[in-house]
Amino acid sequence: MTASPGWYLRRLSRMGPREVGGRVVDTARRRRWRSAPPVAPEVTGARFTATLPAGALDAVPPDAAKRLLAEADRLLAGHAEFFGVPRDDLADPDWWYDPKTGRRAPSGYAFDVPYRSEDAVGDIKQIWEPSRHQYLTVLAAAYAISGDERYAERVAAHLRSWWAANPPLRGAHWISGIELGIRLLSWVWVRRLLDGWSGVAALFEDNPVARRQVWHHQRWLAAFPSRGSSANNHVIAEAAGQTAAACAFDWFPDSARWRADALRCLERHLRSNTFASGLNRELATEYHGLVLELGLAAVAEADAAGVSVPPAIHLVLLRMTDALAAVVDDRLRPPRQGDADDGHGLVVDGAGTDRWGSLLATGGAVFGRLAWWPTVTGTDVRTPLLAALIRPYAKREAAPAAPRPASRPAHFADAGLTILRGPAGIWCRCDGGPHGFLAIAAHAHADALAVEVRQDGVDVLADPGTYCYHGQPAWRRYFRSTLGHNTLELGGADQSVSGGPFLWTRQARSRVLVAEAAGAAGDGVARWCAEHDGYRPAVHRRRVELTAVTRELRITDEVRGPRRAARLAFHLGPTIVADLVGDRAELTWTRDGEHRSAVLDLPGHLRWSAQRGAVEPPLGWYSPGFGRKEPATTLVGTGFAGGAARSGEFTTVLRFHG
């Protein structure tokens, strides 16, 4: 899918004068670089000193090391999977090939590559992901743990292959700053983890090709920062990668300036990308995880190099960690809110390692865990390695005094996110926050007032996820749509108006009216109420009550305004079996070999149907990860809302058994 002229006009309308001016400068520089690309300086005497402290590898738990080595052996055999697509060619990869479509990205000047067009390029995410080189950090970590030189030799062969196939400014891997930033971070860790290998200096600091690649990556990031309405998680990745490389590969005349500029950029954008409560402003949970990983990795590099880090960076990362600890369910799963593309900042672990447990473990090591934090029982490789590099927050002389929550927060007023908790692991996320971040709200979904309900970590009323970004517009629209979430659609339209796959031209405004934890009113009932104006002049208001004694969740929807066609959707998790009879659905599932059940009583004046795996149009799907989808049952009630009292308000009740 290639962007149309209309898309460019809509995108331009979301930019301010300063952003437009910056993009004009970027365009002029790209044209100039086509004929006169920058020339890397010749350097001598380059050295790498940002090694792991003695004993750091000894702290890696044996089971985490075992998972890592198993993953490394699979990679060594040439096997991998990216976004649900198996790869069996990773022993000698084609860096421009997309196995999903069978297409190969064109060569030529990077900024001429039409990467948004799947017909011309293939699925760009499939092409970009292996070239983040995070599978190489896994192989390098396997070498560091085992001393087996096969892992080191494979890493070296692939880096030399990539550098030869992707000279500066040529091809698809020089288009996006987030890719360059994450790749730099990977290279730093590859160099660190291979430090005991005899060939590592010849691969990096004594290799003019490697030095030129590192310089050109940093020069690119200094020239083309994400700006204005695009300054979301991308700019964090750019600044983190630039910080890491300028600290660890301090080889160039511009290294000190790049380092200082990157740290200032990281400080500014970590603050602007994060609510005071600690939640990420994109309101897309996986990007909260990505930004937190990137920030911790950048601090690790600065500390390893003895570079002072602005105190505000530590404070934001502390708040992000506490916020993550607050919102996860009993199985350490965070909300499935907004876009998710399985992006990671630093990967040194094998399959089966819990990302969120790993982040909380690292946060506990760096900031200290609070009494109300959930217990992390899993292990990982990354935590002891990062903890060996990062100075604990409490030991930093310049660390600002940071009041931390004395008890587990349930309501994040600035983000409009509320977690209702009940007995037996009942967890309910209620969404009454801003539509998204910045003018384009790139990673937002049209999900105002949506709820997400789990029991003991199992999705009961599920957020279906994301599935795709480029190349499949019908699926992108569905997974971002109002009908694709557990909320109310009016007039057959979304609450917010999309102008493209990463652009919203009109955004619903929500506000939370009530947010009370269980027991606040003395009756053991947790309450939430919010409304939004996405269907103005009509207003959709929703009330949610969770009663601990009866294990009952009551959802009441009210529409104030003209009578309009309505569809109310409840998306069930992929493991939930539903038996719908009239306006009652019996729900059953299994958790750890134990049978569970619940009853969903639906509003009787709507006509209810169960949809599963429909394609034209899409309905009844769940995406467990980017690029993957599976059928799941969606209960859809159709009728009218607004106008007369009977059709203006209706109630849904979910009762858990046992």
Side-chain angles (χ1 to χ4, degrees), residues 38-40 168 174 212-221:
V39 178
W174 291 88
R212 281 196 294 271
Q213 283 276 351
V214 170
W215 185 88
H216 275 285
H217 272 66
Q218 292 184 85
R219 182 67 184 91
W220 193 108
L221 290 174

Side-chain angles (χ1 to χ4, degrees), residues 231-252:
N232 52 14
N233 64 86
H234 284 233
V235 77
I236 303 295
E238 294 160 10
Q242 185 79 295
T243 298
C247 287
F249 301 142
D250 184 17
W251 302 336
F252 310 106

Side-chain angles (χ1 to χ4, degrees), residues 265-549:
C265 178
L266 186 64
E267 176 189 16
R268 182 170 69 255
H269 288 290
L270 272 176
R271 286 188 296 169
S272 65
N273 273 253
T274 310
F275 288 112
S277 65
L279 289 178
N280 182 265
R281 286 183 181 271
E282 292 196 78
L283 294 173
T285 311
E286 286 222 3
Y287 288 110
H288 182 107
L290 173 64
V291 168
L292 182 53
E293 288 173 351
L294 291 166
L296 289 168
V299 169
E301 296 310 325
D303 282 0
V307 173
S308 178
V309 177
I313 290 179
H314 301 112
L315 186 57
V316 172
L317 297 176
L318 167 63
R319 288 173 174 163
M320 291 183 72
T321 305
D322 281 341
L324 176 62
V327 301
V328 294
D329 65 22
D330 289 1
R331 298 293 179 111
L332 303 185
R333 294 182 62 217
R336 282 167 55 90
Q337 183 178 18
D339 271 350
D341 71 349
D342 297 353
H344 290 257
L346 173 65
V347 181
V348 290
D349 274 284
T353 301
D354 178 24
R355 175 188 195 174
W356 307 104
S358 170
L359 269 173
L360 290 176
T362 303
V366 174
F367 303 114
R369 71 182 309 277
L370 298 175
W372 55 262
W373 274 28
T375 300
V376 177
T377 57
T379 62
D380 69 311
V381 175
R382 188 177 62 186
T383 288
L385 302 188
L386 283 175
L389 297 173
I390 301 176
R391 291 178 58 202
Y393 186 78
K395 295 183 179 180
R396 292 181 181 272
E397 296 79 6
R404 300 175 68 184
S407 59
R408 193 174 201 172
H411 177 57
F412 297 81
D414 47 12
L417 184 145
T418 302
I419 304 293
L420 307 182
R421 297 179 188 270
I426 298 173
W427 174 99
C428 174
R429 171 181 67 87
C430 303
D431 178 10
H435 175 67
F437 181 48
L438 301 174
I440 62 173
H443 291 298
H445 291 186
D447 57 355
L449 310 196
V451 297
E452 183 183 3
V453 182
R454 301 176 192 155
Q455 185 183 37
D456 200 18
V458 173
D459 291 310
V460 179
L461 302 183
D463 184 300
T466 299
Y467 178 54
C468 66
Y469 281 171
H470 300 282
Q472 301 178 76
W475 291 101
R476 177 66 170 152
R477 284 193 298 270
Y478 168 69
F479 277 98
R480 293 203 306 164
S481 70
T482 298
L483 185 63
H485 295 82
N486 297 317
T487 188
L488 180 70
E489 177 202 81
L490 292 180
D494 289 335
Q495 310 151 336
S496 296
V497 177
S498 172
F502 297 98
L503 171 64
W504 296 90
T505 56
R506 185 175 64 79
Q507 304 176 18
R509 295 173 299 182
S510 302
R511 62 172 182 151
V512 176
L513 306 174
V514 176
E516 297 178 355
D523 55 3
V525 180
R527 294 180 172 86
W528 175 85
C529 179
E531 64 184 20
H532 77 83
D533 67 351
Y535 294 118
R536 48 187 179 270
V539 172
H540 173 207
R541 177 175 292 183
R542 170 170 276 187
R543 300 190 299 276
V544 179
E545 297 180 342
L546 176 58
T547 304
V549 174

Side-chain angles (χ1 to χ4, degrees), residues 78-323:
H79 305 306
E81 182 178 300
F82 299 106
F83 308 135
V85 178
R87 294 284 295 263
D88 296 316
D89 60 343
L90 219 62
D92 183 19
D94 180 341
W95 302 108
W96 295 358
Y97 175 67
D98 166 29
K100 178 180 166 185
T101 63
R103 296 187 178 94
R104 197 168 184 273
S107 59
Y109 187 55
F111 298 113
D112 291 341
V113 176
Y115 69 96
R116 292 189 180 94
S117 172
E118 189 170 288
D119 291 337
V121 175
D123 186 332
I124 194 63
K125 291 282 286 180
Q126 288 288 342
I127 294 169
W128 278 344
E129 190 68 16
S131 289
R132 289 186 171 188
H133 289 168
Q134 292 175 327
Y135 78 95
L136 294 183
T137 57
V138 170
L139 287 168
Y143 165 77
I145 292 289
S146 69
D148 188 335
E149 294 194 354
R150 293 179 305 152
Y151 302 125
E153 290 164 356
R154 177 60 59 81
V155 171
H158 280 205
L159 283 178
R160 293 183 191 279
S161 167
W162 194 93
W163 291 332
N166 296 277
L169 300 178
R170 309 301 294 179
H173 297 301
W174 291 88
I175 298 171
S176 173
I178 188 174
E179 304 305 316
L180 277 74
I182 290 176
R183 192 156 53 240
L184 279 175
L185 191 56
S186 295
W187 291 354
V188 169
W189 275 87
V190 164
R191 174 59 186 86
R192 171 177 292 126
L193 292 165
L194 294 185
D195 191 62
W197 180 52
S198 61
V200 70
L203 178 64
F204 278 96
E205 55 266 30
D206 294 340
N207 181 358
V209 174
R211 293 197 305 266
R212 281 196 294 271
Q213 283 276 351
V214 170
W215 185 88
H216 275 285
H217 272 66
Q218 292 184 85
R219 182 67 184 91
W220 193 108
L221 290 174
F224 303 115
S226 292
R227 302 177 183 276
S229 57
S230 294
N232 52 14
N233 64 86
H234 284 233
V235 77
I236 303 295
E238 294 160 10
Q242 185 79 295
T243 298
C247 287
F249 301 142
D250 184 17
W251 302 336
F252 310 106
D254 289 318
S255 290
R257 178 174 60 84
W258 286 337
R259 183 168 58 240
D261 289 348
L263 279 169
R264 282 194 295 269
C265 178
L266 186 64
E267 176 189 16
R268 182 170 69 255
H269 288 290
L270 272 176
R271 286 188 296 169
S272 65
N273 273 253
T274 310
F275 288 112
S277 65
L279 289 178
N280 182 265
R281 286 183 181 271
E282 292 196 78
L283 294 173
T285 311
E286 286 222 3
Y287 288 110
H288 182 107
L290 173 64
V291 168
L292 182 53
E293 288 173 351
L294 291 166
L296 289 168
V299 169
E301 296 310 325
D303 282 0
V307 173
S308 178
V309 177
I313 290 179
H314 301 112
L315 186 57
V316 172
L317 297 176
L318 167 63
R319 288 173 174 163
M320 291 183 72
T321 305
D322 281 341

